């Protein structure tokens, strides 16, 4: 079979490392040694023990579990010297889930640096680390033996780096955190497509545009590029779609067939026939709620003609069955008792459309986040509450009515905020797909923080790359650039935004009409107050050190000793996140300094070296070139002082050396600080203008960490680059392509549909007092000055309910949340 295509996207996935290769870990020899993937199945509701944590040998619940990290990764013995990137976090997740199953469980993670470098990962790691009964031990281990009677496993390890004696402990179950490897047959595929692979069998790609393979028109996504987690894989997949779309833009829509739905059934005059579908959510709900009991209870409620349970209600099999049940039972209202509607409500509404029902004849009852997860230790109480929630949902469902969605035309142009690498890449991507794009940059020139970066860890010339991007932006006729520009006003909705921009020293006001917005506002370098920064000129940040190296500064060429301190301003109480790039940046500068002066003494003081994926090879290279790595603890940080000796001001760093257990004193010529990446101060203003949220660290918050990593919850607005979180330039480039891809899905349409849940005004009794206009955060309601009544712009309205709550006359009501519907829920609860 031959298929003619204009582009190919490769996503062949990966395989896990097979630990039987390393017999010292006892896999396949000892009954209670399993891989992390096998333990994932043990945790799963569809796994061998129905979600109960049991060990293979005797099906008993283990009370002591050990996780051993870096199995098949960072290991010269098996040839996989790279870091698999995901193992630290999936082990941490498994620890938390296992503790949810059994709060008395003792969990131990033996590791060699915890690599919690992703967005939100550090907080998750700290949560696990601070959970009673959980230990993270930095130690290499060996599995000694299996005990004949109990089948328990004995592990030998060093309790801490200062211990001279080895310890032995007995565990009921051992989990091997196995690494990711390329698929066995990938070489054959690469040969057929004439693309290059790296030494480990992963796809070779252009370092600054990681989605592009060595052959034009063929793109890569996911783990085939390098070991990565789900958010980065999803981002790359969208980015690959964007690059393909640039190639195929002239053919856009030529093979599209419109999805056809059955005619919508008119339920006017029908008595409510309610179907209730209760989700077990694997064990997330079923472990805390007696689901069969909830089903029996639902069947007893008035107007409920059908009730059933699903393992996962959102699965394709379950939604297909839901569609058939609606038709077979003649249902005209549907209640799904499951998780938050924020995640899966659109899935079920789509199913109703496929069954011929209006999508708003649906009500979702949250019995996971609002019930099973918060009452996990009291199943009886949680079950009673789940029954209450279902009873309330059915009471409302009896009264809900079909709603209509508003169709609106799309302005096929885009606004990109931020002229750094990610902003320029997303701008070029959209322009090369044929969409007019406006690029707004607050400073005098394009480039962002990349103007201060001269080369990557892999050796790529950033300034040459940057100048090429800038040239391409200015030469593209579909791109309008505004520098020294600030956004002063935003109005509109998906497909039809209007933004006012003040440009230049003359403060010229431009009004830009656009259908989508991409926020690529970048980030800044943290300026510390500790370690004598700003008080002694010999103390620099890593970016400042790189600038001096590039300029050939005399004090660089004459530097005999350099100390680098990592995690300055990151991973602390004020900024409890990892800045991701600092470890790689420190390694990069250390290797470059070794090129300039091979005799220089470099001491790198770190908490965890987070050189993930193939960056691990550069970490090893630095160690081979005698860069001295000293691990320090957050509770025993390095100290920096200036000592006067023989008329000279000596810069002195002292740190506890963990192996010796003694304080090490280093007199250094220069001190470099690996400082945090921090969000710009005007993020808050952008957040308020575009009505999009920030996370607790001040970076923009995506709609869903895994499923929608570049989308905001607000339709038509997207994010990329450092605006999302700290990341390397190649990662910013990939995310910029992803944002462009998501934006293009809107721009490629003739029409978009607005939400049917909007407010309505009873004009007969509205006094036009204007309170609703004052409280509306979306500017969707205005008072008609002549008629003195409030008017709603349904395209702008998000159905938040602020106006209805504030209206002193009670003349504003919310579709799908009418007073009688809410009162019915309250009465059902009180009953």
């Amino acid at each position: 079979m031959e298929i003619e295509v204009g582009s190919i996207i490769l996503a062949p996935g990966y395989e896990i490392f097979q630990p039987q290769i390393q017999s010292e870990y006892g896999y396949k020899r000892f009954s209670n040694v399993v891989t992390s993937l096998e333990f994932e199945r043990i945790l799963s509701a569809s796994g061998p023990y129905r979600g109960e944590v049991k060990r293979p040998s005797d099906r008993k619940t283990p009370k002591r579990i050990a996780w051993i990290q870096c199995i098949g990764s960072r290991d010269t013995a098996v040839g996989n010297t790279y870091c698999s990137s995901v193992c630290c976090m999936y082990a941490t997740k498994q620890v938390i889930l296992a503790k949810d199953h059994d709060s008395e469980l003792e969990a131990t993670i033996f590791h060699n640096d915890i690599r919690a470098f992703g967005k939100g990962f550090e907080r998750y790691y700290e949560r696990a680390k601070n959970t009673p009964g959980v230990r993270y031990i930095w130690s290499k281990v060996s599995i000694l033996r299996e005990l004949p009677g109990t089948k328990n496993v004995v592990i030998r390890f060093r309790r801490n780096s200062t211990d001279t004696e080895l310890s032995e402990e007995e565990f009921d179950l051992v989990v091997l955190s196995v690494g990711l490897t390329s698929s066995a047959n990938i070489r054959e595929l690469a040969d057929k497509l004439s693309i290059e692979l790296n030494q480990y069998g992963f796809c070779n790609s252009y370092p600054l545009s990681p989605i592009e393979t060595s052959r034009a028109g063929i793109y890569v996504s996911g783990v085939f590029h390098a070991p990565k987690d789900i958010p980065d894989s999803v981002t790359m997949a969208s980015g690959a779609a964007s690059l393909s779309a640039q190639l195929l833009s002239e053919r856009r829509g030529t093979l599209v067939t419109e999805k056809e739905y059955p005619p919508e059934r008119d339920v006017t005059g029908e008595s409510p026939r309610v179907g209730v579908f209760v989700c077990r959510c694997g064990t997330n709900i079923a472990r805390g709620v007696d689901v069969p009991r909830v089903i029996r209870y639902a069947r007893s409620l008035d107007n409920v003609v059908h009730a059933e349970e699903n393992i996962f209600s959102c699965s394709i099999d379950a939604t297909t069955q839901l569609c058939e049940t609606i038709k077979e039972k003649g249902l005209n209202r549907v209640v799904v008792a499951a998780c938050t509607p924020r995640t899966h409500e659109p899935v079920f509404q789509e199913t109703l459309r496929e069954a011929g029902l209006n999508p708003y004849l649906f009500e979702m009852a949250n019995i996971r986040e609002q019930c099973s997860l918060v009452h996990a230790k009291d199943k009886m109480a949680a079950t009673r509450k789940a029954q209450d929630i279902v009873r309330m949902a059915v009471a409302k469902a009896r009264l809900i009515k079909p709603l209509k969605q508003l169709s609106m035309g799309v302005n096929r142009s885009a606004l990109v905020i931020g002229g750094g690498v990610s902003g320029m890449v997303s701008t070029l991507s959209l322009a090369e797909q044929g969409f007019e794009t406006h690029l707004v940059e607050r400073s005098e020139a394009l480039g962002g923080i990349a103007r201060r970066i001269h080369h990557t860890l892999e050796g790529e010339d950033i300034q040459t790359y940057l100048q090429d991007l800038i040239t391409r932006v200015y030469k593209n006729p579909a791109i309008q650039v505004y520098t020294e520009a600030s956004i002063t006003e935003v109005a509109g909705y998906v497909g039809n935004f209007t933004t006012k921009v003040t440009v230049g020293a003359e403060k010229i006001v431009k009004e830009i009409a656009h259908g989508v917005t991409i926020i690529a506002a970048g980030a800044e370098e943290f300026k510390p107050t500790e370690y004598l920064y700003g008080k002694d000129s010999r103390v620099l940040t890593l970016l400042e050190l790189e600038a001096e190296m590039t300029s050939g500064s005399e004090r660089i060429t004459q530097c005999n000793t350099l100390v680098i301190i990592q995690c300055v301003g990151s991973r602390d109480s004020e900024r409890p996140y990892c800045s991701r790039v600092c470890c790689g940046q420190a390694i990069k500068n250390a290797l470059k300094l070794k090129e300039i002066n091979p005799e220089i003494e470099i001491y790198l003081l770190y908490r965890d070296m987070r050189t993930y994926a193939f960056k691990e090879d550069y970490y090893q290279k630095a160690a081979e070139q005698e860069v001295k790595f000293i691990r320090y603890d957050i509770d025993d940080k390095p100290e920096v002082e200036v000592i006067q000796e023989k008329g000279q001001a000596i810069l002195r760093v002292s740190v506890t050396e963990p192996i010796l257990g003694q304080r090490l004193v280093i007199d250094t010529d220069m001190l470099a600080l690996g400082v945090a990446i921090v969000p710009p101060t005007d993020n808050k203003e952008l957040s308020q203008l575009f009505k999009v949220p920030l996370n607790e660290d001040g970076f923009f918050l995506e709609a869903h960490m895994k499923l929608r990593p570049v989308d905001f919850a607000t339709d038509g607005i997207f994010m990329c680059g450092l605006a999302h979180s700290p990341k390397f330039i190649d990662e910013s480039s990939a995310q910029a392509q992803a944002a462009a891809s998501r934006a293009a899905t809107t721009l490629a349409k003739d029409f978009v549909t607005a939400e049917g849940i909007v407010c309505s005004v009873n004009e007969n009794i509205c006094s036009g007092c204007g309170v609703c206009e004052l409280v509306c955060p979306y500017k969707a309601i205005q008072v008609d000055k002549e008629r003195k009544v409030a008017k709603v712009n349904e395209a702008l309205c998000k159905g938040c309910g602020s106006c209805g709550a504030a209206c002193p006359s009670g003349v504003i009501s919310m579709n799908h949340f009418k007073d009688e519907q809410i009162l019915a829920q309250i009465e059902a609860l009180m009953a």
Side-chain angles (χ1 to χ4, degrees):
M1 180 176 172
E2 289 189 2
I3 305 173
E4 289 189 8
V5 297
S7 175
I8 297 172
I9 296 175
L10 300 175
Y14 63 95
E15 294 177 358
I16 64 165
F17 176 75
Q18 297 303 314
Q20 57 264 45
I21 295 171
Q22 294 181 292
S23 60
E24 64 267 29
Y25 291 112
Y27 182 68
K28 297 293 187 185
R29 292 192 296 116
F30 301 155
S31 307
N32 294 317
V33 176
V34 299
T35 67
S36 45
L37 190 60
E38 289 167 342
F39 190 73
E40 194 81 17
R41 293 300 301 148
I42 289 172
L43 289 168
S44 174
S46 59
Y49 312 127
R50 299 286 183 177
E52 294 295 321
V53 178
K54 299 182 184 298
R55 64 182 198 161
S57 67
D58 52 15
R59 306 296 193 267
K60 290 182 178 178
T61 300
K63 293 300 180 184
R64 305 187 78 233
I65 304 179
W67 278 260
I68 302 177
Q69 299 304 106
C70 298
I71 305 298
S73 296
R74 306 179 66 190
D75 193 338
T76 55
V78 295
N80 295 342
T81 56
Y82 58 86
C83 166
S84 287
S85 302
V86 301
C87 317
C88 289
M89 292 315 297
Y90 74 57
T92 298
K93 176 199 74 173
Q94 290 179 347
V95 167
I96 287 177
L97 292 178
K99 288 286 289 183
D100 284 345
H101 282 70
D102 182 1
S103 61
E104 301 302 315
L105 172 73
E106 294 179 23
T108 304
I109 302 90
F110 295 103
H111 67 93
N112 175 21
D113 298 327
I114 290 296
R115 297 190 163 172
F117 55 83
K119 188 175 184 179
F121 287 7
E122 181 71 16
R123 275 188 172 85
Y124 197 70
Y125 161 50
E126 286 293 328
R127 172 187 163 188
K129 190 171 68 170
N130 294 321
T131 300
V134 175
R135 294 182 297 167
Y136 280 82
I137 297 177
W138 193 82
S139 177
K140 287 285 188 181
V141 305
S142 59
I143 293 182
L144 293 184
R145 60 190 177 276
E146 179 184 74
L147 298 178
T150 62
K151 299 293 184 182
N152 287 351
V153 181
V154 178
I155 290 179
R156 177 180 288 169
F157 63 98
R158 188 171 271 112
R159 288 189 182 275
N160 58 61
S161 52
T162 59
D163 272 1
T164 55
E165 298 292 326
L166 294 174
S167 299
E168 292 182 10
E169 279 190 23
E170 186 179 326
F171 292 92
D172 302 327
L173 182 66
V174 173
V175 181
L176 304 179
S177 294
V178 290
L180 313 185
T181 66
S182 62
S183 302
N185 60 352
I186 210 67
R187 181 73 59 183
E188 181 183 352
L189 176 65
D191 290 342
K192 286 179 180 177
L193 296 175
S194 300
I195 61 168
E196 296 174 4
L197 302 179
N198 69 11
Q199 68 195 83
Y200 304 113
F202 293 89
C203 185
N204 243 354
S205 61
Y206 175 48
L208 294 174
S209 183
I211 301 170
E212 298 183 60
T213 69
S214 55
R215 184 176 178 186
I218 300 181
Y219 306 107
V220 60
S221 68
V223 179
F224 183 39
H225 167 259
K228 54 176 50 67
D229 59 16
I230 292 172
D232 289 342
S233 293
V234 170
T235 295
M236 279 198 85
S238 291
S242 180
L243 285 165
S244 294
Q246 291 173 46
L247 278 182
L248 307 176
S249 59
E250 292 182 1
R251 303 284 293 165
R252 181 185 291 114
T254 57
L255 297 176
V256 172
T257 55
E258 189 95 13
K259 183 173 181 177
E260 293 186 4
Y261 295 94
E264 185 175 302
R265 195 170 110 217
D266 184 0
V267 301
T268 306
E270 292 184 10
S271 296
R273 293 179 59 81
V274 183
V276 177
F277 300 82
V278 182
C279 181
R280 298 180 69 89
C281 195
T283 59
N284 288 321
I285 292 173
R287 188 168 59 248
V289 170
D290 185 344
V291 172
R293 188 170 179 175
V294 175
I295 291 292
R296 291 193 299 271
Y297 179 76
R299 287 173 181 151
S300 72
L301 298 173
D302 290 345
N303 300 108
V304 174
V305 298
H306 178 79
E308 67 175 64
E309 68 176 82
N310 308 117
I311 295 177
F312 291 103
S313 293
C314 58
S315 67
I316 293 174
D317 289 345
T319 54
T320 301
Q321 181 59 41
L322 171 60
C323 184
E324 293 304 313
T325 303
I326 291 171
K327 296 174 184 176
E328 179 187 333
K329 303 286 185 178
L331 305 180
N332 57 23
R333 306 290 191 282
V334 172
V335 172
V336 173
C339 58
T340 167
R342 182 171 178 243
T343 304
H344 290 307
E345 185 177 53
V347 173
F348 298 118
Q349 289 182 323
E350 177 72 6
T351 303
L352 263 66
R353 289 190 70 190
E354 292 169 352
L357 283 182
N358 184 282
Y360 293 97
L361 296 173
F362 172 78
E363 182 66 16
M364 199 156 181
N366 186 343
I367 62 169
R368 190 178 74 172
E369 285 81 358
Q370 294 180 1
C371 187
S372 68
L373 297 186
V374 291
H375 305 294
K377 294 181 180 180
D378 191 344
K379 190 167 186 175
M380 185 175 292
T383 300
R384 286 197 300 268
K385 183 175 178 180
Q387 291 172 334
D388 292 342
I389 292 170
V390 169
R391 184 172 68 252
M392 293 166 68
V394 170
K396 180 184 175 185
R398 297 188 193 107
L399 301 174
I400 55 179
K401 306 292 184 185
L403 299 177
K404 296 297 181 185
Q405 293 178 316
L406 180 68
S407 289
M408 304 166 291
V410 175
N411 182 321
R412 291 185 168 177
S413 63
L415 173 68
V416 178
I417 302 168
V421 167
S422 56
M424 287 191 287
V425 169
S426 57
T427 296
L428 284 165
S429 178
L430 288 170
E432 288 169 11
Q433 291 180 58
F435 301 115
E436 180 186 15
T437 307
H438 303 268
L439 178 59
V440 174
E441 166 56 37
R442 64 188 168 205
S443 65
E444 296 178 357
L446 301 178
I449 201 168
R451 285 189 167 276
R452 301 179 60 195
I453 302 172
H454 298 273
H455 60 279
T456 67
L457 180 59
E458 296 78 13
E460 296 298 314
D461 184 335
I462 293 300
Q463 293 308 306
T464 299
Y465 167 73
L466 199 59
Q467 288 308 312
D468 176 64
L469 276 181
I470 294 170
T471 300
R472 287 168 57 202
V473 164
Y474 277 110
K475 283 188 174 181
N476 194 306
I479 297 172
Q480 178 68 50
V481 178
Y482 308 85
T483 54
E484 293 184 273
S486 59
I487 293 170
T488 57
E489 189 177 326
V490 179
Y493 45 87
V494 57
N496 294 275
F497 291 103
T498 302
T499 299
K500 287 184 179 180
V501 180
T502 303
V503 184
E506 299 82 7
K507 303 294 183 183
I508 299 170
V509 177
K510 301 278 187 180
E511 188 170 281
I512 302 170
H514 54 103
V516 296
T517 305
I518 295 177
I519 296 179
E524 298 170 354
E525 180 188 48
F526 174 64
K527 298 300 183 184
T529 55
E530 59 184 333
Y531 300 126
L532 301 182
Y533 181 81
K535 299 174 182 176
D536 191 305
S537 62
R538 294 167 293 182
V539 182
L540 311 172
T541 67
L542 285 173
L543 277 180
E544 291 166 348
L545 176 65
E546 183 173 348
E548 293 221 15
M549 288 160 49
T550 304
S551 67
S553 160
E554 184 177 327
R555 65 174 180 169
I556 291 292
T557 57
Q558 293 181 359
C559 181
N560 295 314
T561 305
L562 170 75
V563 175
I564 300 173
I565 302 177
Q566 296 296 96
C567 296
V568 179
S570 286
R571 302 180 64 194
D572 58 20
S573 57
E574 190 173 347
R575 278 169 293 278
Y577 60 88
C578 170
S579 289
R580 189 168 180 141
V581 304
C582 319
C583 290
Q585 194 180 17
I587 296 290
K588 175 189 75 175
N589 285 352
L591 289 172
K592 197 70 177 177
L593 283 166
K594 282 288 186 178
E595 281 182 30
I596 296 169
N597 177 11
E599 302 304 316
I600 188 173
E601 291 281 340
I602 300 177
Y603 297 85
L604 203 158
L605 317 185
Y606 71 100
R607 290 177 59 193
D608 293 280
M609 283 307 299
R610 293 179 171 176
T611 45
Y612 56 93
F614 307 129
K615 294 175 178 63
E616 179 70 12
D617 289 341
Y618 295 93
Y619 177 23
Q620 293 301 322
K621 183 179 178 182
E624 289 164 6
Q625 294 192 15
E626 297 186 346
V627 174
K628 298 172 179 65
F629 292 88
I630 301 172
R631 193 165 182 263
Y632 77 88
D633 190 86
I634 186 64
D635 296 323
D636 187 14
K637 295 168 68 173
E639 295 178 353
V640 179
E641 58 185 338
V642 174
I643 303 296
Q644 297 293 332
E645 286 188 3
K646 299 179 181 179
Q648 290 187 320
I650 306 296
L651 187 61
R652 177 166 291 173
V653 179
S654 59
V655 62
T656 299
E657 210 291 327
I659 296 175
L660 299 174
Q662 297 178 355
R663 202 73 176 167
L664 181 67
V665 174
I666 309 164
D667 290 344
T668 184
D669 298 319
M670 297 180 73
L671 171 63
L673 306 178
V675 298
I677 291 176
V678 296
T681 53
D682 56 0
N683 268 11
K684 187 174 182 180
E685 184 181 354
L686 281 177
S687 168
Q688 292 169 344
L689 283 168
F690 285 94
K691 306 296 186 294
V692 292
L694 301 173
N695 70 4
E696 54 266 69
D697 300 317
F699 295 98
F700 287 97
L701 181 64
E702 62 272 39
H704 191 285
M705 180 181 182
K706 294 181 180 179
L707 305 181
R708 299 174 64 196
V710 298
D711 296 47
F712 283 103
T714 303
D715 293 338
I717 308 179
F718 310 91
M719 74 184 84
C720 62
L722 298 179
H724 170 271
S725 65
K727 54 181 61 66
F728 287 94
I729 286 178
D730 59 331
E731 295 165 334
S732 289
S733 173
Q735 198 174 53
Q737 293 286 2
S741 176
R742 299 292 298 131
T745 60
T746 297
L747 297 180
K749 296 174 182 176
D750 294 322
F751 297 94
V752 292
T753 54
E755 177 62 68
I757 300 175
V758 294
C759 67
S760 59
V761 179
N762 185 340
E763 296 185 6
N764 293 325
I765 53 175
C766 175
S767 65
C769 67
V771 171
C772 54
E773 185 175 346
L774 290 173
V775 300
C776 178
Y778 301 100
K779 300 179 181 177
I781 192 165
Q782 289 183 322
V783 174
D784 185 320
K785 301 299 182 185
E786 293 183 4
R787 298 179 57 213
K788 294 187 177 180
V789 294
K791 302 288 290 184
V792 178
N793 183 334
E794 293 186 359
L796 285 174
C797 182
K798 299 298 179 186
C800 70
S802 298
C803 57
C807 179
S809 306
V811 302
I812 299 177
S813 60
M814 296 298 306
N815 291 341
H816 207 70
F817 294 93
K818 301 282 188 183
D819 287 353
E820 58 268 26
Q821 295 166 351
I822 302 298
L823 288 170
Q825 287 185 291
I826 295 171
E827 289 169 3
L829 174 63
M830 301 309 293

